[in-house]
Amino acid sequence: MNGSDGKGPRGGFLLPVSMSTVEVPEERLRKFKYRGKDVSVQRRQWRAVSLQLRKAKKDEQVFKRRNITDLSMDPASQEEANQVSLTVPEIISGMNASDQKSCFQAAQAARRILSEQRNPPVKLMVEAGLIPRLVEFLRSSYHPSLQFEAAWALTNIAAGPSEQTRAVVEAGAVQPLVELLSSPDLNVRKHATWALGNIAGDGPELRDVVISSNAIPHLRALISSTTPVAFLQTISWTLSNLCRNKDPRPSQMAVKQMLPILSHLLQQQDSEVLSHTCWSLSYVTKGCHEHIDQVVDMLVLPRLVELMTSSELSILIPSLCTVGNIVTGTDSQTQAAIDAGMLGALPQLLLHPKSFVQKMAAWALSNVAAGPPEHLQQLIASSILPPLVAVLRNGHFNVQKEAIWTVANFVTGGTIDQLILLLHSGVLEPLVNLLTTPDTKFIINILDIIFLLLQRTKKFARIESLCAVIEERGGLDRIKALQFHENRQVALTAQRIIEKHFSEEEDNDTLSLTLDQPRDA
């Protein structure tokens, strides 16, 4: 291990195809194994699982939301139950009236129309210039009912496309919405929070507008032992949007302000609050060692590991994402996750009914395996090798492609005793069986692993031949056949293995390793 206390990049083998590159597969593994943990080359941390996570995030974390409520249950609508609905032209006229009653009725009618589930006339109202008028209503401190209607209407406008969200911001809505977080009226506070969440969810630019308007301290002040759960759900969702996006990331100060709030929310029992909070932490820890340090220092890892065992995917997925992000960090950050018990949770996740959970677990495991031998030893002690082998034998191909990196990291970074334990786990059989896959890069990965296994165990004698084991498992025939593969790099890599370890010239060499009596490296 070098002094950087980290791991290097992990990815596909990208070297040019030539005899010189094929002759050193161990160099390919060492170059692309995640041992340097450089932020600029984070271990494919979101490439490997991004497609599944996009769907999971879409399902569990909607970035903008319209408030579509059963109007019969809405307190404001109950007060106006007998009100005659206004047409859009009447709403436009009423909102520009000078008397308070007409303004209120028009704002309420606008809110009701904007809350329709199908095709609300948002564009028409925006083009009619109603947003600046609604922003004015936000400042009507003596009329909380009018503030409530205006905040709700703006919430639903800001839930639309970016140009509509931006129109709300350009009309000056952010600062009065932040001020309304301190309103004595609970419903006003709720909708101000919701509107700010929609604005922040538009992207990093508007997120930072909300943050720079001092929203975070106001949001923190909303949380107490008496805060209704439904309101905590909205607050936690808004915070998740304040944590999102990395081009640029939220400022260091903003993260510092939010982490104590997130730590508190992580102790809640409500599933939606926990889901939003875990997503927030996953965004914060994504590819940023400084933010990972901040999260580790908050001592939330044991709770995150506990949530990794949740039966609810909406909690399990973002908690696993967060812990997975943390183990892409330095060795000390990874050790903190190990100390919190993450390795105890991974075996059951590798065998989870959902393949994308298995894939995320395999990704996290490979990042632990990319650490020093001490991490590998703790991994072995956690009984993870049997489910890993089960995945390689019977798992979905996308999961197997991720799981193979754990084996690669074992082979490149483990001690000889650890390699023997890996071989004892039965990993060779699924490895050679996977040589029949049509995925060229995957085949090269496996061939490189086999080559390096043979190289590293070559000097150990007095035991069963590794070459014999490979041959018994059908590996030799498959490797021989791959010498004629249409991909030149596959063919040359297979040829290199045969020439180096299975040719007649090698018959007198000892290619054995201790399968019964492990030896020190």
Side-chain angles (χ1 to χ4, degrees), residues 3 19 30 196 224 232 252 289 401 430 435 496 501 504:
M19 180 59 73
R30 288 196 174 111
L196 290 168
S224 72
L232 286 176
Q252 204 71 2
H289 288 187
K401 286 201 296 185
L435 287 173
R496 177 65 174 170
H501 298 287
E504 292 182 2

Side-chain angles (χ1 to χ4, degrees), residues 66-71 114-118 152 156 194:
R66 285 171 55 232
N67 187 357
I68 302 169
T69 303
D70 180 354
L71 295 178
L114 291 169
S115 298
E116 290 177 355
Q117 294 195 32
R118 293 185 180 179
W152 191 339
N156 286 347
W194 197 327

Side-chain angles (χ1 to χ4, degrees), residues 86-110 113 124-125 127-130 133-134 137:
L86 301 180
T87 64
V88 172
E90 288 171 335
I91 289 172
I92 295 170
S93 174
M95 286 184 63
N96 288 303
S98 57
D99 65 290
Q100 200 74 44
K101 182 178 179 181
S102 296
C103 290
F104 173 78
Q105 290 176 338
Q108 185 181 67
I113 289 177
L124 183 60
M125 292 195 176
E127 291 174 348
L130 296 187
R133 189 65 170 148
L134 288 168
F137 294 163

Side-chain angles (χ1 to χ4, degrees), residues 240 243 258-259 262-263 266 275-286 291 295 298 300 304 318 321-323 325-326:
S240 74
C243 292
M258 285 188 282
L259 282 179
L262 297 174
S263 177
L266 205 61
S275 178
H276 294 319
T277 303
C278 289
W279 278 122
S280 297
L281 292 169
S282 78
Y283 301 143
V284 167
T285 54
K286 182 179 175 182
H291 290 173
V295 171
M298 292 299 297
V300 296
L304 286 167
C321 281
T322 303
V323 176
N325 286 341
I326 289 171

Side-chain angles (χ1 to χ4, degrees), residues 361-400:
W363 161 67
L365 179 61
S366 69
N367 286 331
V368 175
E374 293 79 10
H375 288 176
L376 286 172
Q377 197 60 41
Q378 292 173 88
L379 186 156
I380 292 168
S382 298
S383 301
I384 288 177
L385 291 182
L388 176 68
V389 172
V391 164
L392 289 170
R393 184 177 289 120
N394 301 315
H396 190 282
F397 182 61
N398 285 334
V399 182
Q400 293 172 328

Side-chain angles (χ1 to χ4, degrees), residues 419-460:
L419 290 187
I420 292 169
L421 288 171
L422 176 68
L423 291 165
H424 266 305
S425 71
V427 74
L428 267 180
E429 183 175 357
L431 278 183
V432 298
N433 288 341
L434 287 168
L435 287 173
T436 60
T437 176
D439 188 305
T440 300
K441 289 183 179 179
F442 191 54
I443 293 174
I444 294 170
N445 286 7
I446 295 173
L447 290 173
D448 285 344
I449 289 169
I450 291 172
F451 181 91
L452 190 54
L453 269 172
L454 290 165
Q455 288 291 97
R456 292 203 61 197
T457 59
K458 185 175 180 179
K459 59 183 177 180
F460 291 90

